[in-house]
Amino acid sequence: MMLSPSEPLIIATHNPGKLAEIRQMLAPYGLTVRSAGELGISEPEETETSFAKNAALKARHSALAANLPALADDSGLVIPAIGGAPGIYSARWAGAGKDFTVAFTRIEAELAKHNAPKNPPAHFICALALSLPDGNVHFFEG
């Protein structure tokens, strides 16, 4: 599958910072990038149970709305000592203001509640989904 520089790639986001980062990463490839926000495409509710599935949901939503290929991500922090939390809920733990100080305060409280070590192992997961207008989705996770 090849993306064409003549056909815009929709980035399924309303976040200007995320759009700028992705636009910069894709610039060497000559792709035209537009955001779902710029095109007036709504944000779907993230109702899935994994990073990959949430990314696919967002990418598919934008691809179908624009009839163009769309790229979406879902990412978060996974801390096994507290059952994998915050996981897919990482942004929600930051609250409506997306203040990650709030999220880290909650993480500290959860660690204490679980008698976990103060600095337990943790990892960050990012899943990308590239959806074509025909509904075909390609996944990338790391």
Side-chain angles (χ1 to χ4, degrees), residues 93-94 98-108:
W93 278 34
K98 301 203 187 242
D99 179 353
F100 282 91
T101 303
V102 171
F104 283 107
T105 299
R106 183 169 174 192
I107 288 168
E108 288 174 352

Side-chain angles (χ1 to χ4, degrees), residues 69-81:
L71 180 71
D73 81 300
D74 197 44
S75 59
L77 184 64
V78 175
I79 306 170

Side-chain angles (χ1 to χ4, degrees), residues 51-53 55-57 60 127-130 137-141:
F51 294 110
K53 288 179 181 178
L57 180 135
R60 198 174 289 118
L128 297 174
L130 176 65
V137 180
H138 302 270
F139 294 96
F140 313 88
E141 188 171 277

Side-chain angles (χ1 to χ4, degrees), residues 5 9-10 44 48 64 72 80 92 108 111 113 117 128-129 136 139 142:
L9 172 64
I10 307 306
E48 295 294 344
L64 293 174
R92 292 179 200 146
E108 288 174 352
L111 289 170
K113 190 187 319 181
L128 297 174
N136 192 5
F139 294 96

Side-chain angles (χ1 to χ4, degrees), residues 40-67:
I41 299 170
S42 65
E43 291 181 278
E45 184 179 350
E46 294 180 32
T47 56
E48 295 294 344
T49 58
S50 72
F51 294 110
K53 288 179 181 178
N54 274 328
L57 180 135
K58 293 184 280 188
R60 198 174 289 118
H61 176 80
S62 288
L64 293 174
N67 197 34

